[in-house]
Amino acid sequence: MSSLDDVARRDGWRCWVCDEPVDADRSVNDPRGPSVDSRTADRKAKVAERLAHRACNTRKGAVKAVIAWPDHLHVVEPAPLVTVAERLERKGGRELVARCPSEKDAQEAAAWLVDRFSRLVPGLPVTASVDAGGGQYLVTLAAGRR
């Protein structure tokens, strides 16, 4: 197991689940305090430990975390981001992650996704594209294999 400080420095003191800052001065017993978590519930998987708030880690428990899409984004049928991250990290390629009613909404979602994935899967170069189709705009993420 890595030390809390090492994991926290590598992750920039941000919670991988909620993407909010983690206060280094809070107690590890405080709900907003730091804790070390694995991204997966599969104990056999070789996944790096990640920094999480104690409450985020506890709420997640032994199940796969759910990364919330922000309320300000207008998306229809958003994909589960942890599952998308695992697939892109493992296989690379492209994956449709959302449908949006307008091009502006799709561009905002694409920009948020690229930024969020830079912290969710550090080191995996992810790009987003927006394509018109069927009266809506489709947001696709793409990544090469690591």
Side-chain angles (χ1 to χ4, degrees):
M1 180 180 239
S2 304
S3 82
L4 174 64
D5 286 334
D6 292 342
V7 172
R9 272 192 297 278
R10 185 197 65 219
D11 289 351
W13 287 96
R14 291 190 80 83
C15 176
W16 81 270
V17 178
C18 71
D19 200 37
E20 293 181 13
V22 176
D23 187 348
D25 296 327
R26 292 219 184 192
S27 165
V28 294
N29 296 318
D30 185 293
R32 300 293 291 170
S35 70
V36 174
D37 179 44
S38 173
R39 268 198 344 230
T40 180
D42 181 358
R43 300 212 184 273
K44 295 178 185 173
K46 303 231 189 282
V47 176
E49 297 158 326
R50 302 297 301 270
L51 181 69
H53 290 111
R54 170 69 54 205
C56 292
N57 196 351
T58 301
R59 187 171 39 254
K60 180 181 95 46
V63 297
K64 192 176 288 189
V66 175
I67 304 297
W69 286 69
D71 292 335
H72 73 277
L73 294 177
H74 301 288
V75 294
V76 180
E77 296 178 4
L81 297 180
V82 171
T83 302
V84 170
E86 289 172 350
R87 266 195 302 262
L88 289 175
E89 189 173 28
R90 185 176 65 249
K91 299 181 344 183
R94 295 170 37 100
E95 186 152 346
L96 178 64
V97 292
R99 295 181 299 128
C100 297
S102 74
E103 186 173 12
K104 180 180 181 275
D105 293 332
Q107 293 293 349
E108 288 175 5
W112 177 80
L113 284 161
V114 169
D115 179 61
R116 184 65 174 98
F117 268 66
S118 72
R119 289 181 301 284
L120 184 59
V121 191
L124 181 67
V126 174
T127 58
S129 62
V130 173
D131 299 300
Q136 59 196 347
Y137 293 86
L138 309 174
V139 181
T140 303
L141 289 180
R145 287 188 183 184
R146 275 207 267 193

